[in-house]
Amino acid sequence: MQRDMKIVEVDARAIDVGYFNVKYTTGRKSFESKSLISAHMFPSLAPRQASNKRTTSAVEIASDGCVVEIEGISYFVGRDAIFHSSGKDPRKVLPEYSMSKKYTALMRGALYYMAKDAGAAQELVIDHLVLGLPMNNYGEMAEALEERARGEHLVNSPGREGSMLRITVNRASVMPQPRGSLFNFGVENPGFTSKPAWSLVVDAGGGTLDWFLSHGRTPNWERSGAYPSSMLACSYAVADMIDPDWKERFDIVQQIDEAIRRRAATFTVGAREFDMRKYQSAVDEVLYESVQAMLAKVEDTDNLSTILMTGGGATVYHDFIAKNYPKLRHSMVLEPDPIFSNVRGFQIAAELYHPQKTDQIR
């Protein structure tokens, strides 16, 4: 809905800021007579920009993204962020990640792409934005992230130096990340969340392995949780065996991650090819440690009717659990599009939002 020539308004949007990628929605699009949630992503890179660097200079050929200024520091975020980076991007899985300048810059990068999709040249207003947090810091960080997301955000598009794009978020809510997948799967499979049975969502993200246990629509928070070791730790385990300095190289970590997720026989760095069989035991050790932590918290698994595998590492964890915990195999369901499952669930929650129904989102 357009209020005037300068301000564009949209009802609902969603963002999921991860350690590997930022996922976001641009509303619903019509495809083959269906209304589908449009979801996209860009790498979780936010390289700092020199204060004297002109965003419209000739070297800014790869400029799919925007410049965000936070507390006097400028960051370039978006699909072309790697071309603005020094090549090093150290990552640590920290509980306060959502309160960091990098997280805020990445969130604003997603808002920029939403504005661009909506055709908002000067200002976009989002009525309700839903974001996600891992289970291990959701309780402590949800309200602070909601407060950080609400209000006015300014970004500067390359080629429009001095002309700021304003995005205003009227309302913001935060969900546990795996609950987003539950929302999405429930819509795709009517009756799933309403049946009186136990289900477990296993969300294999970049930084954490999250799990969410529920009986129908009722969550069991005591048996839900997260472990701060997942796909990023798998890549780091491989890097440690070859060159520990690689852990600060986003592009190399990404190559290792893709090799793990695609079960590739080899991966290449520069002119060298590496045999993944040499490093599989290190990957399996990370997987075993995180899965054991999950099972210790969940405890009884005999009455699980569905184990929903989602997240960017869903296939890796699905195959590992099926092989090493065969009694769980019959309950396991692999999400058809696990990378975007959470953020699509957040979008559904934003669409269903009503002031009197906040508890349904939380």
Side-chain angles (χ1 to χ4, degrees):
M1 178 178 66
Q2 187 165 320
R3 194 164 69 195
D4 59 36
M5 294 301 292
K6 296 182 179 180
I7 302 176
V8 177
E9 296 179 346
V10 296
D11 293 332
R13 291 293 185 267
I15 300 174
D16 187 12
V17 178
Y19 282 88
F20 274 115
N21 295 292
V22 178
K23 283 80 67 178
Y24 64 95
T25 62
T26 54
R28 290 183 177 268
K29 312 293 183 184
S30 296
F31 179 75
E32 295 182 351
S33 301
K34 295 181 179 179
S35 176
L36 303 178
I37 296 172
S38 178
H40 313 269
M41 66 181 179
F42 59 91
S44 296
L45 289 172
R48 294 186 180 188
Q49 304 298 283
S51 59
N52 60 351
K53 187 176 181 181
R54 290 176 56 84
T55 58
T56 54
S57 66
V59 298
E60 299 292 347
I61 297 173
S63 295
D64 186 348
C66 64
V67 177
V68 177
E69 184 176 309
I70 302 171
E71 298 179 14
I73 300 173
S74 293
Y75 303 85
F76 187 96
V77 291
R79 296 186 182 94
D80 285 343
I82 194 169
F83 300 109
H84 299 252
S85 170
S86 66
K88 290 189 175 182
D89 182 51
R91 301 176 186 207
K92 295 181 181 179
V93 181
L94 301 172
E96 63 272 19
Y97 177 52
S98 62
M99 294 295 104
S100 66
K101 296 183 181 70
K102 176 180 178 179
Y103 185 103
T104 302
L106 294 171
M107 177 181 67
R108 289 179 178 173
L111 294 174
Y112 160 77
Y113 281 116
M114 292 175 187
K116 189 175 179 181
D117 175 83
Q122 295 182 344
E123 184 171 356
L124 174 71
V125 176
I126 301 172
D127 184 55
H128 185 218
L129 178 70
V130 173
L131 305 99
L133 281 175
M135 291 293 301
N136 61 341
N137 59 20
Y138 168 74
E140 294 81 9
M141 299 292 180
E143 288 188 10
L145 181 56
E146 288 175 0
E147 183 178 350
R148 179 166 288 206
R150 280 193 301 266
E152 179 185 283
H153 304 271
L154 298 175
V155 299
N156 189 357
S157 302
R160 298 181 64 227
E161 189 174 9
S163 179
M164 305 301 292
L165 173 62
R166 185 192 316 272
I167 301 103
T168 302
V169 177
N170 287 337
R171 291 174 289 183
S173 299
V174 176
M175 292 178 64
Q177 286 174 334
R179 202 173 189 188
S181 289
L182 197 63
F183 266 65
N184 183 61
F185 191 76
V187 168
E188 296 295 325
N189 300 270
F192 167 72
T193 54
S194 60
K195 62 182 180 180
W198 286 101
S199 61
L200 176 68
V201 180
V202 181
D203 180 8
T208 59
L209 178 71
D210 291 66
W211 59 92
F212 185 80
L213 188 76
S214 64
H215 188 268
R217 297 180 184 275
T218 306
N220 184 314
W221 297 104
E222 184 63 29
R223 295 167 64 190
S224 302
Y227 191 73
S229 179
S230 189
M231 295 305 295
L232 183 61
C234 289
S235 297
Y236 280 0
V238 174
D240 274 330
M241 296 182 69
I242 305 171
D243 186 344
D245 289 342
W246 282 1
K247 292 187 291 186
E248 295 189 355
R249 291 287 305 276
F250 170 82
D251 53 343
I252 296 178
V253 171
Q254 195 87 354
Q255 286 173 259
I256 298 172
D257 175 68
E258 288 180 7
I260 294 170
R261 288 189 291 109
R262 296 177 181 177
R263 297 184 292 276
T266 63
F267 69 95
T268 303
V269 176
R272 293 183 292 171
E273 188 173 67
F274 297 88
D275 187 345
M276 276 300 298
R277 290 176 297 181
K278 296 181 179 179
Y279 315 109
Q280 189 59 50
S281 60
V283 173
D284 288 346
E285 186 175 344
V286 173
L287 298 175
Y288 178 78
E289 180 183 285
S290 54
V291 170
Q292 281 295 106
M294 176 185 72
L295 295 177
K297 187 74 180 289
V298 173
E299 294 186 342
D300 182 23
T301 59
D302 290 340
N303 60 352
L304 294 176
S305 64
T306 304
I307 301 175
L308 182 63
M309 307 298 299
T310 189
T315 301
V316 175
Y317 273 88
H318 175 277
D319 293 349
F320 180 82
I321 294 174
K323 177 182 178 181
N324 294 280
Y325 305 86
K327 78 170 188 175
L328 301 178
R329 189 182 305 161
H330 68 283
S331 302
M332 294 170 63
V333 177
L334 183 62
E335 266 275 9
D337 191 8
I339 292 177
F340 291 110
S341 181
N342 280 347
V343 77
R344 286 196 171 108
F346 301 162
Q347 173 72 26
I348 292 166
E351 294 169 351
L352 294 174
Y353 178 82
H354 190 276
Q356 283 84 0
K357 297 182 180 180
T358 305
D359 59 321
Q360 293 185 13
I361 293 178
R362 283 287 184 89

